[in-house]
Short mmCIF file of all heavy atoms in Angstrom, two decimals:
data_model
loop_
_atom_site.label_atom_id
_atom_site.label_comp_id
_atom_site.label_asym_id
_atom_site.label_seq_id
_atom_site.Cartn_x
_atom_site.Cartn_y
_atom_site.Cartn_z
N THR A 149 -64.74 -18.08 -34.02
CA THR A 149 -64.62 -19.20 -33.09
C THR A 149 -65.67 -19.00 -32.00
O THR A 149 -66.24 -17.92 -31.89
CB THR A 149 -63.23 -19.25 -32.41
OG1 THR A 149 -63.02 -18.01 -31.72
CG2 THR A 149 -62.13 -19.44 -33.43
N ILE A 150 -65.91 -20.04 -31.24
CA ILE A 150 -66.78 -19.89 -30.07
C ILE A 150 -66.02 -19.04 -29.06
O ILE A 150 -64.84 -19.25 -28.86
CB ILE A 150 -67.06 -21.31 -29.47
CG1 ILE A 150 -68.25 -21.95 -30.18
CG2 ILE A 150 -67.29 -21.29 -27.99
CD1 ILE A 150 -69.60 -21.45 -29.72
N PRO A 151 -66.69 -18.05 -28.47
CA PRO A 151 -65.94 -17.26 -27.49
C PRO A 151 -65.60 -18.10 -26.26
O PRO A 151 -66.48 -18.71 -25.68
CB PRO A 151 -66.90 -16.12 -27.12
CG PRO A 151 -68.18 -16.37 -27.80
CD PRO A 151 -68.07 -17.62 -28.62
N ASN A 152 -64.33 -18.15 -25.93
CA ASN A 152 -63.93 -18.66 -24.62
C ASN A 152 -63.09 -17.55 -24.00
O ASN A 152 -62.94 -16.48 -24.61
CB ASN A 152 -63.18 -20.00 -24.74
CG ASN A 152 -61.95 -19.93 -25.64
OD1 ASN A 152 -61.33 -18.87 -25.75
ND2 ASN A 152 -61.61 -21.04 -26.26
N LEU A 153 -62.55 -17.77 -22.85
CA LEU A 153 -61.85 -16.67 -22.20
C LEU A 153 -60.70 -16.16 -23.06
O LEU A 153 -60.50 -14.96 -23.21
CB LEU A 153 -61.34 -17.10 -20.82
CG LEU A 153 -60.81 -15.93 -20.01
CD1 LEU A 153 -61.92 -14.99 -19.58
CD2 LEU A 153 -60.03 -16.41 -18.81
N THR A 154 -59.97 -17.09 -23.64
CA THR A 154 -58.80 -16.70 -24.44
C THR A 154 -59.21 -15.95 -25.70
O THR A 154 -58.74 -14.84 -25.95
CB THR A 154 -57.99 -17.96 -24.83
OG1 THR A 154 -57.82 -18.77 -23.67
CG2 THR A 154 -56.64 -17.58 -25.39
N SER A 155 -60.11 -16.54 -26.47
CA SER A 155 -60.48 -15.88 -27.73
C SER A 155 -61.27 -14.60 -27.46
O SER A 155 -61.14 -13.62 -28.18
CB SER A 155 -61.29 -16.84 -28.62
OG SER A 155 -62.52 -17.17 -28.02
N GLY A 156 -62.05 -14.60 -26.38
CA GLY A 156 -62.79 -13.38 -26.01
C GLY A 156 -61.83 -12.25 -25.68
O GLY A 156 -61.96 -11.14 -26.18
N ARG A 157 -60.83 -12.58 -24.87
CA ARG A 157 -59.85 -11.56 -24.47
C ARG A 157 -59.02 -11.07 -25.64
O ARG A 157 -58.80 -9.88 -25.81
CB ARG A 157 -58.90 -12.14 -23.41
CG ARG A 157 -59.41 -11.92 -22.04
CD ARG A 157 -58.28 -12.13 -21.06
NE ARG A 157 -58.85 -12.09 -19.71
CZ ARG A 157 -58.40 -12.80 -18.71
NH1 ARG A 157 -57.39 -13.61 -18.88
NH2 ARG A 157 -58.97 -12.69 -17.53
N THR A 158 -58.55 -12.01 -26.44
CA THR A 158 -57.72 -11.66 -27.60
C THR A 158 -58.48 -10.71 -28.51
O THR A 158 -57.95 -9.69 -28.95
CB THR A 158 -57.33 -12.93 -28.39
OG1 THR A 158 -56.77 -13.85 -27.46
CG2 THR A 158 -56.35 -12.62 -29.48
N ASN A 159 -59.73 -11.05 -28.79
CA ASN A 159 -60.52 -10.24 -29.70
C ASN A 159 -60.92 -8.91 -29.09
O ASN A 159 -61.02 -7.91 -29.78
CB ASN A 159 -61.74 -11.02 -30.19
CG ASN A 159 -61.36 -12.03 -31.26
OD1 ASN A 159 -61.12 -11.66 -32.40
ND2 ASN A 159 -61.24 -13.29 -30.88
N ARG A 160 -61.14 -8.90 -27.79
CA ARG A 160 -61.44 -7.63 -27.14
C ARG A 160 -60.23 -6.71 -27.20
O ARG A 160 -60.34 -5.52 -27.49
CB ARG A 160 -61.84 -7.86 -25.67
CG ARG A 160 -62.44 -6.63 -25.06
CD ARG A 160 -61.95 -6.20 -23.70
NE ARG A 160 -61.00 -7.03 -23.06
CZ ARG A 160 -60.81 -7.03 -21.76
NH1 ARG A 160 -61.55 -6.28 -20.99
NH2 ARG A 160 -59.89 -7.78 -21.22
N GLU A 161 -59.04 -7.28 -26.93
CA GLU A 161 -57.81 -6.48 -26.99
C GLU A 161 -57.58 -5.92 -28.39
O GLU A 161 -57.21 -4.77 -28.57
CB GLU A 161 -56.60 -7.33 -26.58
CG GLU A 161 -56.46 -7.50 -25.08
CD GLU A 161 -56.59 -6.17 -24.34
OE1 GLU A 161 -55.90 -5.20 -24.71
OE2 GLU A 161 -57.41 -6.09 -23.40
N LYS A 162 -57.84 -6.77 -29.37
CA LYS A 162 -57.64 -6.36 -30.77
C LYS A 162 -58.60 -5.22 -31.10
O LYS A 162 -58.19 -4.22 -31.71
CB LYS A 162 -57.89 -7.57 -31.68
CG LYS A 162 -57.48 -7.38 -33.11
CD LYS A 162 -55.96 -7.36 -33.28
CE LYS A 162 -55.54 -7.22 -34.74
NZ LYS A 162 -56.09 -6.04 -35.43
N LEU A 163 -59.85 -5.35 -30.68
CA LEU A 163 -60.83 -4.29 -30.95
C LEU A 163 -60.41 -3.00 -30.27
O LEU A 163 -60.46 -1.92 -30.85
CB LEU A 163 -62.23 -4.73 -30.48
CG LEU A 163 -63.35 -3.72 -30.69
CD1 LEU A 163 -63.48 -3.29 -32.15
CD2 LEU A 163 -64.70 -4.29 -30.20
N ARG A 164 -59.96 -3.14 -29.02
CA ARG A 164 -59.51 -1.98 -28.28
C ARG A 164 -58.39 -1.24 -29.01
O ARG A 164 -58.42 -0.03 -29.15
CB ARG A 164 -58.99 -2.47 -26.92
CG ARG A 164 -59.25 -1.54 -25.77
CD ARG A 164 -58.43 -2.01 -24.62
NE ARG A 164 -59.16 -2.97 -23.80
CZ ARG A 164 -59.24 -2.87 -22.48
NH1 ARG A 164 -58.65 -1.89 -21.85
NH2 ARG A 164 -59.91 -3.76 -21.78
N GLU A 165 -57.42 -2.00 -29.48
CA GLU A 165 -56.30 -1.41 -30.22
C GLU A 165 -56.78 -0.74 -31.51
O GLU A 165 -56.37 0.37 -31.83
CB GLU A 165 -55.26 -2.48 -30.60
CG GLU A 165 -54.43 -2.97 -29.44
CD GLU A 165 -53.69 -4.28 -29.78
OE1 GLU A 165 -53.56 -4.58 -30.99
OE2 GLU A 165 -53.28 -4.98 -28.85
N ASP A 166 -57.62 -1.43 -32.24
CA ASP A 166 -58.10 -0.89 -33.52
C ASP A 166 -58.90 0.40 -33.30
O ASP A 166 -58.78 1.35 -34.07
CB ASP A 166 -58.97 -1.93 -34.24
CG ASP A 166 -58.15 -3.13 -34.72
OD1 ASP A 166 -56.92 -2.98 -34.87
OD2 ASP A 166 -58.74 -4.20 -34.92
N LEU A 167 -59.71 0.42 -32.24
CA LEU A 167 -60.52 1.61 -31.97
C LEU A 167 -59.63 2.77 -31.56
O LEU A 167 -59.84 3.91 -31.98
CB LEU A 167 -61.56 1.33 -30.86
CG LEU A 167 -62.66 0.33 -31.23
CD1 LEU A 167 -63.56 0.07 -30.01
CD2 LEU A 167 -63.50 0.86 -32.38
N THR A 168 -58.64 2.47 -30.73
CA THR A 168 -57.73 3.51 -30.29
C THR A 168 -56.99 4.10 -31.48
O THR A 168 -56.89 5.31 -31.64
CB THR A 168 -56.74 2.94 -29.25
OG1 THR A 168 -57.49 2.38 -28.18
CG2 THR A 168 -55.81 4.01 -28.72
N ARG A 169 -56.51 3.22 -32.36
CA ARG A 169 -55.79 3.68 -33.54
C ARG A 169 -56.70 4.53 -34.43
O ARG A 169 -56.27 5.48 -35.05
CB ARG A 169 -55.22 2.48 -34.33
CG ARG A 169 -54.23 2.89 -35.37
CD ARG A 169 -53.49 1.73 -36.06
NE ARG A 169 -53.40 0.51 -35.31
CZ ARG A 169 -54.17 -0.56 -35.53
NH1 ARG A 169 -55.07 -0.56 -36.49
NH2 ARG A 169 -54.02 -1.65 -34.81
N ALA A 170 -57.98 4.16 -34.48
CA ALA A 170 -58.92 4.90 -35.33
C ALA A 170 -59.44 6.16 -34.63
O ALA A 170 -60.26 6.89 -35.20
CB ALA A 170 -60.09 3.99 -35.72
N GLY A 171 -58.98 6.41 -33.39
CA GLY A 171 -59.39 7.62 -32.68
C GLY A 171 -60.82 7.58 -32.18
O GLY A 171 -61.44 8.62 -31.95
N LYS A 172 -61.35 6.37 -31.98
CA LYS A 172 -62.73 6.23 -31.47
C LYS A 172 -62.73 6.22 -29.94
O LYS A 172 -61.82 5.66 -29.32
CB LYS A 172 -63.36 4.93 -31.97
CG LYS A 172 -63.32 4.73 -33.47
CD LYS A 172 -64.29 5.64 -34.17
CE LYS A 172 -64.41 5.27 -35.65
NZ LYS A 172 -65.18 6.28 -36.39
N HIS A 173 -63.76 6.79 -29.36
CA HIS A 173 -63.89 6.79 -27.91
C HIS A 173 -64.90 5.73 -27.50
O HIS A 173 -66.00 5.68 -28.04
CB HIS A 173 -64.31 8.17 -27.41
CG HIS A 173 -63.29 9.22 -27.73
ND1 HIS A 173 -62.12 9.36 -27.01
CD2 HIS A 173 -63.24 10.13 -28.72
CE1 HIS A 173 -61.40 10.33 -27.53
NE2 HIS A 173 -62.05 10.83 -28.59
N PHE A 174 -64.52 4.89 -26.56
CA PHE A 174 -65.38 3.77 -26.18
C PHE A 174 -65.37 3.58 -24.68
O PHE A 174 -64.45 4.03 -23.98
CB PHE A 174 -64.91 2.49 -26.88
CG PHE A 174 -63.45 2.17 -26.65
CD1 PHE A 174 -63.06 1.43 -25.55
CD2 PHE A 174 -62.48 2.64 -27.51
CE1 PHE A 174 -61.72 1.15 -25.32
CE2 PHE A 174 -61.13 2.37 -27.28
CZ PHE A 174 -60.75 1.63 -26.18
N ASP A 175 -66.39 2.92 -24.19
CA ASP A 175 -66.50 2.60 -22.77
C ASP A 175 -65.59 1.41 -22.48
O ASP A 175 -65.88 0.29 -22.90
CB ASP A 175 -67.97 2.27 -22.44
CG ASP A 175 -68.16 1.90 -20.98
OD1 ASP A 175 -67.15 1.87 -20.23
OD2 ASP A 175 -69.31 1.65 -20.59
N ALA A 176 -64.52 1.65 -21.76
CA ALA A 176 -63.53 0.60 -21.52
C ALA A 176 -63.93 -0.30 -20.35
O ALA A 176 -63.27 -1.29 -20.08
CB ALA A 176 -62.16 1.23 -21.27
N ASN A 177 -64.99 0.06 -19.65
CA ASN A 177 -65.35 -0.70 -18.45
C ASN A 177 -66.33 -1.83 -18.70
O ASN A 177 -66.66 -2.58 -17.77
CB ASN A 177 -65.95 0.24 -17.39
CG ASN A 177 -64.89 1.12 -16.79
OD1 ASN A 177 -63.77 0.68 -16.56
ND2 ASN A 177 -65.23 2.38 -16.55
N THR A 178 -66.82 -1.92 -19.91
CA THR A 178 -67.75 -3.01 -20.17
C THR A 178 -67.62 -3.48 -21.62
O THR A 178 -67.29 -2.70 -22.50
CB THR A 178 -69.21 -2.59 -19.84
OG1 THR A 178 -70.07 -3.70 -20.08
CG2 THR A 178 -69.65 -1.42 -20.68
N TYR A 179 -67.79 -4.75 -21.81
CA TYR A 179 -67.84 -5.28 -23.17
C TYR A 179 -68.68 -6.54 -23.17
O TYR A 179 -68.94 -7.12 -22.10
CB TYR A 179 -66.43 -5.57 -23.71
CG TYR A 179 -65.75 -6.76 -23.10
CD1 TYR A 179 -65.79 -8.01 -23.72
CD2 TYR A 179 -65.06 -6.64 -21.89
CE1 TYR A 179 -65.17 -9.11 -23.15
CE2 TYR A 179 -64.44 -7.74 -21.31
CZ TYR A 179 -64.50 -8.98 -21.95
OH TYR A 179 -63.88 -10.06 -21.38
N SER A 180 -69.12 -6.94 -24.33
CA SER A 180 -69.91 -8.17 -24.44
C SER A 180 -69.31 -9.07 -25.51
O SER A 180 -68.77 -8.59 -26.50
CB SER A 180 -71.36 -7.85 -24.83
OG SER A 180 -71.98 -7.08 -23.83
N ALA A 181 -69.45 -10.36 -25.28
CA ALA A 181 -69.16 -11.35 -26.31
C ALA A 181 -70.50 -11.91 -26.74
O ALA A 181 -71.29 -12.34 -25.91
CB ALA A 181 -68.26 -12.45 -25.76
N ALA A 182 -70.76 -11.86 -28.03
CA ALA A 182 -72.03 -12.34 -28.57
C ALA A 182 -71.77 -13.60 -29.37
O ALA A 182 -70.96 -13.60 -30.29
CB ALA A 182 -72.66 -11.27 -29.46
N ALA A 183 -72.44 -14.68 -28.99
CA ALA A 183 -72.29 -15.96 -29.71
C ALA A 183 -73.56 -16.22 -30.50
O ALA A 183 -74.67 -16.09 -29.98
CB ALA A 183 -72.02 -17.09 -28.73
N TYR A 184 -73.39 -16.57 -31.76
CA TYR A 184 -74.54 -16.82 -32.64
C TYR A 184 -74.57 -18.25 -33.13
O TYR A 184 -75.30 -18.58 -34.06
CB TYR A 184 -74.49 -15.90 -33.87
CG TYR A 184 -74.64 -14.43 -33.58
CD1 TYR A 184 -73.57 -13.67 -33.11
CD2 TYR A 184 -75.85 -13.78 -33.81
CE1 TYR A 184 -73.70 -12.33 -32.87
CE2 TYR A 184 -75.99 -12.42 -33.58
CZ TYR A 184 -74.91 -11.70 -33.11
OH TYR A 184 -75.05 -10.36 -32.88
N THR A 185 -73.71 -19.09 -32.57
CA THR A 185 -73.67 -20.48 -33.02
C THR A 185 -73.51 -21.38 -31.80
O THR A 185 -72.94 -20.98 -30.79
CB THR A 185 -72.47 -20.73 -33.97
OG1 THR A 185 -71.29 -20.13 -33.41
CG2 THR A 185 -72.73 -20.14 -35.34
#
Side-chain angles (χ1 to χ4, degrees):
T149 59
I150 274 281
N152 57 29
L153 190 69
T154 313
S155 65
R157 270 197 188 146
T158 308
N159 283 284
R160 193 227 357 202
E161 281 311 310
K162 191 72 178 55
L163 179 56
R164 215 192 270 229
E165 286 165 19
D166 292 338
L167 293 176
T168 303
R169 193 173 335 103
K172 306 288 189 189
H173 298 283
F174 54 88
D175 179 358
N177 288 322
T178 182
Y179 72 96
S180 297
Y184 294 79
T185 46

